[in-house]
Amino acid sequence: MGSCCTPGHGCSTGTESAGGTAVAVAETIAVADTTTAYAVSGMTCGHCRTAITGAVGALPGVVSVDVDVAGGLVTVTTGGASDDAAIAAAVEDAGYELTGRA
């Protein structure tokens, strides 16, 4: 997967980012939270962070998302067991590749 950034460091998707690094979704669930780290390839910039944070953060049961662009890691906290397939699909829909658990 390629970068979404143009050679001039612009965003080739035509969207602007809000600049956040994490999304927290408030849910009241009587289940213990699970934190899982995933290796993701193709991330190069703040827009990548924003795109993945938004896509994964919108999934049901996701409590928070932390994206480490330089390290190629996406750490997801869910209320209960994480759904690897749903998280992989959200990452792919955002234009990146989840290569496995880290």
Side-chain angles (χ1 to χ4, degrees):
M1 304 245 156
S3 170
C4 65
C5 299
T6 64
H9 302 291
C11 179
S12 67
T13 63
T15 61
E16 297 297 321
S17 70
T21 60
V23 169
V25 179
E27 285 190 14
T28 305
I29 300 175
V31 178
D33 289 347
T34 301
T35 300
T36 308
Y38 299 94
V40 175
S41 64
M43 300 185 297
T44 60
C45 65
H47 174 267
C48 301
R49 174 184 295 111
T50 301
I52 291 175
T53 299
V56 175
L59 293 173
V62 171
V63 175
S64 69
V65 180
D66 181 54
V67 179
D68 176 4
V69 171
L73 294 175
V74 175
T75 304
V76 181
T77 301
T78 56
S82 66
D83 184 344
D84 291 347
I87 292 169
V91 168
E92 184 176 314
D93 287 347
Y96 307 91
E97 181 182 5
L98 189 149
T99 58
R101 285 188 177 207

